[in-house]
């Protein structure tokens, strides 16, 4: 269940079995200079990523998992195997079943095969790392870039705590300015295009008080700069173990809001974390208005941490956002989901669930409780 | 039910009532230099376009209706009103109900309100019109452009018959080369970017035997060149009335295939049309592997024309395509849909339909027959 079945280079699609690791697919496609854009956590499988509608650092440019799949094969609760579509890029033929299963967290069927959309990797791409005096300046830069119709291939925001953890992690050879930082991927089909794009971005950064603008000159440097982004989670955990408690836990959570509310949501969250006495790094897929808090907490502070997360979600909902931009609901965010979309919308999801899985055998009680009168499991 | 409720310029979204005409929205947004990318037929409403998952000339670059909506308000069969999401660009919160209603052709609920994604219009954009000796050369050019990771904002293909009809329609001031033709929109955030893009495209066109490469120099010329594309349907009908029969009918139909099968599918269809003795223009959203045939037929040739369309659909399905890229299924393509996805997939759609509309009051028997044993209506 982890095979690559067929690559169609001309059509920019690939058919794979559900159990394939996305990193294996990434490495395989790299030889063809092609990209499957979702980049979830390292151990994720393709079907797992689809079931959770994953995204990652490339989503602002290329969309999330649900925009990058053409067709899936699904085993339904009664054992029937269906295929949702053929291989055409565009289709208006019947209900969008692909879109329904993607993000349903295994509650409606099991994805066994998928035909995925691929992208030609930009011929030229560079990484820019830009620091700012405040998180508000960094976030405002993102808004301006989006507003100006400039398409960066990734638009990542890391707060000053995150930058400190990266510096102290020893995972990167060079040290970074310990300030709120944007990491951008800027690509194009010629060096000149990338240069023009970079100049436009540089100008916007300067207008938003950027302090340093660092640019990769070599392939190694590119790799090095992006590594800093990729080690976010582990450097937070390691810092916590070394500096707080060897048994420290990390509560990873994410929300997303419309970009106009990004600055205040992220700033208020940062303030709340400090006032609550927690240490947390914040890293955001800023182009999507989506950010993660990686909150370090000791076992005895579990409830206090939970309250902090509740306030973070409430804040996102007040700002017209969502309780989860990419992590999904599972058991943990069921209550938040109901706050977000309301009882009637949940009731509709429940109708679909029961129509497709009347015996309630598939990941029962994930996303919402099948019987709303059930007590907490 | 046709009001614009709220424009969020910074967030690039707008909330509107379902009955709003998409052209009214387009004109309103134009003052803000913003774009709602789906461009269906002139009289379409926003809710109608969503219910049919419409697309049009911009879809290859910006996606179809389903990729350009953040949230919808829907009246369900039992009168409940639900909202699918809040306004965040990205969300992994619960089932993708938005995606389920979009393209369900009014069979699951009635869309009354929608929050739509907008795009910043490219600061600079130009139109290129390029003719080729054969439809195969034109279609191969599209494949190369896509393969090279070059993003045109529109990639339209018009066959030689279409170009003849446009010339004879009198709707455009200048005349076009009567050969298979590509019409491209090339945009960017600076004149230099557009120039670089144009040079890359020109090179690919030349490698594929392009005959003429015409470029708009002024705003008026841009408008003029794109008008030629927009009058495709009417110029076909008018030509038929003037040259075949004042009572002539036009059968408009569309299919889509993976781009590697685009050349053969479109060429074989063109041959079949000629051999069947029909006159038809062909116009394609080539970047999506999607094309339309506008077949002129007299009343007495109805069955013959229907057979021709059946062969066109069969050919698309053999080439791993879909029976409809953007027109939808309705009653007319129900049989084709079953050929395309199979009985079990239809049975699943039926389960969802009956769970949401047990009384069968919403557009009954569209897309598939609710009771498979019913006779044709």
């Amino acid at each position: 269940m982890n095979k690559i079945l067929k690559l169609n280079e001309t059509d920019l699609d690939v058919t794979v079995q559900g159990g394939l690791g996305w990193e294996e697919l990434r490495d395989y496609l790299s030889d063809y200079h092609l990209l499957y854009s979702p980049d979830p956590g390292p151990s994720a499988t393709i079907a797992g990523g689809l079931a959770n509608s994953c995204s990652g650092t490339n989503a602002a440019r290329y969309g999330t998992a649900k925009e990058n799949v053409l067709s899936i094969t699904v085993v339904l609760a009664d054992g029937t195997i269906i295929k949702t579509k053929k291989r055409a890029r565009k289709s208006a033929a019947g209900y969008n079943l692909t879109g329904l299963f993607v993000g349903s967290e295994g509650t409606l069927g099991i994805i066994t095969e998928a035909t995925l959309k691929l992208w030609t990797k930009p011929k030229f791409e560079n990484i820019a790392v830009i620091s700012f005096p405040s998180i508000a300046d960094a976030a405002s830069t993102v808004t301006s870039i989006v507003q100006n119709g400039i398409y960066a291939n990734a638009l990542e925001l890391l707060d000053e705590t995150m930058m400190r953890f990266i510096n102290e992690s020893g995972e990167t050879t060079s040290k970074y300015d310990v300030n709120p930082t944007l990491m951008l991927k800027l690509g194009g089909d010629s060096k000149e295009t990338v240069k023009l794009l970079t100049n436009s971005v540089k100008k916007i950064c300067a207008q938003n008080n950027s302090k340093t603008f660092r640019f990769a000159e070599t392939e190694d440097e590119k790799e090095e700069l992006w590594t800093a982004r990729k080690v976010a989670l582990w450097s937070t955990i390691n810092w916590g173990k070394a500096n707080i408690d060897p048994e420290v836990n990390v509560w990873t959570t994410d929300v997303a809001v419309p970009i106009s509310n990004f600055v205040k949501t992220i700033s208020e969250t940062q303030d709340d974390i400090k006032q609550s006495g927690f240490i947390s790094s914040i890293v955001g897929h800023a182009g999507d208005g989506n950010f993660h808090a990686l909150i370090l907490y000791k076992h005895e502070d579990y409830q206090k941490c939970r309250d902090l997360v509740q306030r973070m979600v409430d804040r996102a909902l007040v700002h017209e956002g969502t309780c989860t931009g990419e992590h999904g609901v599972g058991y943990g965010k069921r209550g938040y989901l109901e706050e977000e979309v309301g009882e009637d919308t949940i009731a509709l999801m429940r109708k679909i669930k029961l129509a497709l899985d009347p015996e309630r055998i598939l990941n029962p009680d994930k996303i919402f409780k099948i019987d709303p009168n059930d007590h907490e499991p």
Side-chain angles (χ1 to χ4, degrees), chain A residues 301-350:
Chain A
D301 293 327
Y302 173 83
Q303 188 55 47
K304 211 176 134 194
C305 186
R306 196 186 166 117
D307 294 343
L308 174 65
V309 171
Q310 171 79 54
R311 290 194 300 275
M312 175 173 160
V313 170
D314 288 344
R315 196 174 297 121
L317 297 185
V318 165
H319 293 326
E320 298 178 84
T322 177
C323 66
T324 175
E326 60 178 31
H327 285 184
V329 176
Y331 294 132
K333 287 194 163 174
R334 283 189 313 204
Y336 305 146
L337 179 66
E338 195 159 328
E339 275 178 61
E340 179 174 336
V341 298
E343 270 179 40
D344 287 337
T345 302
I346 300 281
L348 179 60
M349 294 183 192
R350 192 173 282 127

Side-chain angles (χ1 to χ4, degrees), chain A residues 190-210:
Chain A
S190 69
K191 277 188 185 168
E192 290 77 8
T193 315
V194 178
K195 208 173 155 185
L196 287 168
L197 189 61
T198 308
N199 289 341
S200 302
V201 168
K202 223 170 189 166
K203 218 167 111 186
I204 293 172
C205 289
Q207 284 160 356
N208 287 282
N209 315 314
S210 58

